[in-house]
Amino acid sequence: MNNIIKNLNIFKHYITGNNLPKLESCKNNKKINRKILIATSSGGLQSILVFEALLGNILKYEGCEVDFLLCDEILSGCVMKTIFNNTEKQLLESYSNKTGCSICFLRAKNYLEKYKLNVLKFSDFIDKKKIKAIEERKYDNLSSEEIKKIVINDIPVGEHANSGTIRYYTGTNLENYKYSKEVLIQYLKSAIITKEVSENLFNLKKYDEVFMNHGVYVPQGVIIDCAKKRKINTAAWFYNYKINSVCITRNDTYHKALLDEAADKWNNFKFTKKEEMEIDKYLFSKRTGTMDMEYYFKNPHFDIENFFNINGVDSKKPIISLATNMLWDAQVYFPSNFFSNMIEWLYFTIDHFKKRKDLQLIIRIHPAEADKQKPSKQRVMDCINEKYKSIPENIFIVKPEDNLSTYAIIDKSNALIVYGSKIATESAANGIPTIVCGESFIKNKSITFDAFNKKQYLELLDKLPFDKNVLDKDKILLAKKYAYHFWFRRTIFINSLLLKKNKSPNVGIKKNYLDLYQKDLDKGLKSVVKAIAEGNDFINYD
């Protein structure tokens, strides 16, 4: 009966137009002799499944032995679960009642096998007795902080469980939820099950490459760590903002790999006037999102003067802008962090500006907090209101619901301060002095003003407002060069993909994708396949 219900749900997706794109069953031309695992894991990540299915099909065409790994409903806590689609009660009972798993596995499995792509299941590599034993383990005597620090066989399962739990709640304020510790334990058990599955799989099958999405959370973060421990080449990827484009990094989640990217990866190419014009055009397009897959404003407005007038901002006094990032997204542990989280950094910064009456601070809260599909349970504005009885008169806040363009604010600013926001790459390339306090990709590139402890951060804040010439032409040009690298070399355009707005998945595959590939009309896909074949980094040199 359960399978009948699942298949009816899948059929419902098809008839409402939310169907996965067709593939061709490619003949093997035996050019590349590599064993590849595409660890999709969570088949319900439909847009991600589209690209991974396309890539797997092309790799198979090129002669690779390709396996797909899918969770077949044995994990309670996973990347698919959120408090919006699974209440705490449902999640905590879901070892016996897999709420939210009804079509995640079956739909992905049917889709991949339809095109003769080999599917491996989590349950193929762990027996029911072992799962039960893990489920019955007790962690009640441990605090949440102790659970987060659990490491088993060198795999930081507690860290991944914590990231997964924060994503589940879409917020870091776990103490506000009655069952947050129990949910954390559930994610921990799922992380341990994933570790057992991964280790058993890698004992049985010898892969040259493990290719996967995210590289963080449960189960993805655990799998990539297990592969790295075996010294298997790994690649973690995500859709970057540009339409039909992906970013892929070697041997770590991109959150860490891009932060520590060596200079010879991004600063070793000729940056001519042509490339400069290209990145300028793209960065300008980001104001309205015309070249991006994701855009958080429906109708952005740029009337900054009206905002100033309504809120009493003095345009003659120096303005410093601050851009927050999402509190719950990609909560990865960085040993170099000197604030425990973004909120602590925000409070520290507000407390400093309370004393700086000569400056005005405009806090731009990330507009994705108001995203209707996945709104944040923990809101930055709520945190500010909880901490401060009144907002200092020299500090102004732009709420996530406000369609005032972030760029209009930054354009009027003497400097921008960020914790981990990607907008730092844009602001620096646009000639705005940018202070990075957390883990933004542009950090460690000798472009932004980077703080590595609270003392350094205070010293940078004390220097505000910056002198107009604090960024010379060479520094701005270097910032543009890095921005070009990130959005045109690290970000690889896949011509075989097509954007399907307001659909699920929102990415499709062109019918003539194989023809495009064979005729060298999808250079991006060719470069990805080449990097996998040769074990190189994923940088588009064309």
Side-chain angles (χ1 to χ4, degrees):
M1 179 58 72
N2 283 339
N3 280 339
I4 292 173
I5 294 171
K6 292 174 189 177
N7 281 295
L8 285 173
N9 283 329
I10 293 171
F11 181 70
K12 179 183 175 182
H13 276 260
Y14 283 127
I15 63 175
T16 54
N18 296 325
N19 55 310
L20 294 163
K22 293 181 180 179
L23 290 168
E24 291 183 48
S25 295
C26 302
K27 291 183 179 179
N28 187 329
N29 66 7
K30 298 182 181 179
K31 285 185 179 179
I32 304 172
N33 182 23
R34 303 271 287 179
K35 292 183 178 180
I36 313 295
L37 176 69
I38 299 180
T40 302
S41 306
S42 304
L45 298 169
Q46 297 179 51
S47 296
I48 282 171
L49 179 63
V50 169
F51 175 64
E52 292 184 347
L54 168 66
L55 179 62
N57 210 36
I58 290 295
L59 288 170
K60 183 181 173 185
Y61 164 77
E62 289 285 23
C64 296
E65 182 182 318
V66 181
D67 292 333
F68 282 81
L69 180 64
L70 292 176
C71 170
D72 52 335
E73 306 182 46
I74 70 169
L75 299 183
S76 173
C78 80
V79 73
M80 292 301 301
K81 304 289 179 69
T82 72
I83 198 168
F84 301 105
N85 60 29
N86 285 257
T87 66
E88 290 174 300
K89 182 179 179 182
Q90 287 171 329
L91 183 76
L92 295 173
E93 292 178 349
S94 64
Y95 275 119
S96 57
N97 174 22
K98 294 293 191 300
T99 306
C101 296
S102 60
I103 65 170
C104 178
F105 164 65
L106 196 59
R107 187 180 184 210
K109 175 180 177 291
N110 291 348
Y111 175 63
L112 295 169
E113 290 183 344
K114 179 179 179 181
Y115 300 106
K116 297 182 172 53
L117 295 168
N118 191 48
V119 174
L120 305 177
K121 307 186 299 293
F122 272 39
S123 63
D124 293 335
F125 305 98
I126 188 169
D127 60 49
K128 291 181 180 179
K129 287 183 179 179
K130 187 67 176 179
I131 294 174
K132 186 178 180 183
I134 294 170
E135 289 174 4
E136 291 176 349
R137 290 181 189 175
K138 300 296 182 184
Y139 296 94
D140 301 343
N141 61 323
L142 299 179
S143 69
S144 293
E145 289 303 312
E146 289 172 321
I147 291 169
K148 293 174 190 177
K149 295 175 183 177
I150 292 177
V151 176
I152 302 176
N153 295 346
D154 301 321
I155 307 300
V157 287
E159 177 187 330
H160 293 301
N162 183 50
S163 295
T165 304
I166 290 171
R167 181 183 172 92
Y168 167 79
Y169 282 112
T170 65
T172 59
N173 55 341
L174 304 186
E175 66 280 357
N176 291 351
Y177 295 93
K178 183 177 180 181
Y179 298 107
S180 62
K181 181 180 173 182
E182 288 81 357
V183 169
L184 175 63
I185 290 171
Q186 208 76 310
Y187 271 88
L188 174 67
K189 291 176 179 179
S190 292
I192 296 170
I193 290 170
T194 302
K195 182 193 75 70
E196 293 288 331
V197 167
S198 303
E199 289 176 341
N200 292 336
L201 169 58
F202 296 145
N203 280 336
L204 290 170
K205 303 200 75 169
K206 308 303 178 186
Y207 290 105
D208 299 297
E209 177 96 22
V210 174
F211 188 92
M212 65 185 316
N213 55 81
H214 290 91
V216 65
Y217 306 123
V218 177
Q220 290 90 334
V222 179
I223 297 171
I224 201 169
D225 279 351
C226 289
K228 284 164 58 180
K229 184 181 175 183
R230 297 298 181 96
K231 302 191 184 306
I232 304 169
N233 268 350
T234 64
W237 78 277
F238 68 106
Y239 285 114
N240 211 341
Y241 286 103
K242 279 178 65 184
I243 290 175
N244 303 336
S245 298
V246 299
C247 180
I248 314 170
T249 55
R250 276 280 173 212
N251 299 322
D252 214 333
T253 172
Y254 42 87
H255 305 98
K256 293 182 178 180
L258 293 178
L259 186 69
D260 298 323
E261 189 172 24
D264 62 1
K265 294 284 179 75
W266 67 268
N267 198 14
N268 64 344
F269 67 99
K270 289 184 178 180
F271 186 65
T272 66
K273 198 69 180 176
K274 175 178 174 291
E275 284 80 25
E276 185 180 1
M277 290 173 63
E278 197 171 0
I279 189 60
D280 284 345
K281 179 181 178 182
Y282 174 67
L283 291 179
F284 186 77
S285 79
K286 290 186 75 63
R287 294 168 180 258
T288 52
T290 54
M291 298 173 70
D292 288 341
M293 292 178 73
E294 268 190 298
Y295 190 62
Y296 296 108
F297 299 107
K298 286 188 176 179
N299 297 298
H301 72 86
F302 296 82
D303 193 354
I304 189 69
E305 298 300 334
N306 185 54
F307 175 82
F308 285 176
N309 291 335
I310 292 173
N311 293 278
V313 180
D314 185 352
S315 58
K316 294 180 181 179
K317 284 179 66 175
I319 295 168
I320 311 300
S321 52
L322 180 152
T324 68
N325 44 281
M326 297 294 285
L327 287 165
W328 56 266
D329 189 26
Q331 290 298 307
V332 180
Y333 172 68
F334 293 96
S336 60
N337 277 1
F338 53 94
F339 287 110
S340 60
N341 53 46
M342 193 193 78
I343 291 298
E344 185 193 350
W345 161 76
L346 184 62
Y347 291 161
F348 185 94
T349 307
I350 291 174
D351 288 342
H352 176 84
F353 275 89
K354 281 169 60 178
K355 306 169 189 173
R356 293 290 306 270
K357 301 301 182 182
D358 58 317
L359 300 175
Q360 299 171 107
L361 177 68
I362 300 180
I363 299 172
R364 199 333 165 197
I365 301 176
H366 200 300
E369 276 197 8
D371 181 61
K372 290 182 180 179
Q373 291 186 337
K374 199 173 185 180
S376 292
K377 282 285 187 179
Q378 184 184 16
R379 308 290 290 266
V380 168
M381 192 71 240
D382 293 339
C383 294
I384 293 173
N385 288 334
E386 186 179 330
K387 173 77 172 176
Y388 301 95
K389 292 180 180 179
S390 61
I391 307 299
E393 61 182 15
N394 66 325
I395 297 176
F396 309 89
I397 300 174
V398 182
K399 297 179 180 179
E401 299 84 3
D402 195 327
N403 270 357
L404 174 63
S405 171
T406 307
Y407 301 99
I409 303 167
I410 294 173
D411 286 346
K412 293 289 186 178
S413 300
N414 171 267
L416 171 68
I417 309 172
V418 303
Y419 189 70
S421 175
K422 295 185 185 75
I423 204 169
T425 301
E426 302 168 49
S427 58
N430 283 317
I432 304 296
T434 303
I435 297 174
V436 178
C437 197
E439 310 303 339
S440 182
F441 293 157
I442 201 171
K443 196 173 185 180
N444 301 324
K445 309 294 188 301
S446 300
I447 296 171
T448 51
F449 297 88
D450 301 336
F452 295 94
N453 54 56
K454 290 182 181 179
K455 182 174 180 290
Q456 286 183 356
Y457 184 41
L458 274 176
E459 288 172 351
L460 288 170
L461 294 179
D462 285 339
K463 290 178 181 178
L464 295 172
F466 285 130
D467 182 80
K468 288 184 179 179
N469 300 317
V470 71
L471 289 183
D472 58 28
K473 290 182 179 179
D474 290 341
K475 183 78 76 172
I476 295 172
L477 194 66
L478 186 64
K480 287 186 178 184
K481 186 175 185 179
Y482 176 75
Y484 182 88
H485 166 76
F486 179 68
W487 274 295
F488 288 92
R489 299 173 82 241
R490 266 292 175 196
T491 300
I492 302 173
F493 174 69
I494 307 296
N495 191 31
S496 296
L497 295 176
L498 55 90
L499 182 62
K500 297 171 66 179
K501 288 187 177 180
N502 304 317
K503 294 288 185 181
S504 179
N506 67 342
V507 179
I509 299 172
K510 292 178 181 176
K511 292 181 180 179
N512 64 334
Y513 76 92
L514 188 56
D515 189 52
L516 291 173
Y517 182 82
Q518 291 170 333
K519 293 180 178 178
D520 207 23
L521 297 175
D522 193 339
K523 295 184 182 297
L525 188 55
K526 283 269 186 181
S527 73
V528 172
V529 171
K530 183 180 179 183
I532 291 174
E534 298 176 356
N536 295 329
D537 208 347
F538 296 86
I539 298 175
N540 194 355
Y541 293 99
D542 288 337

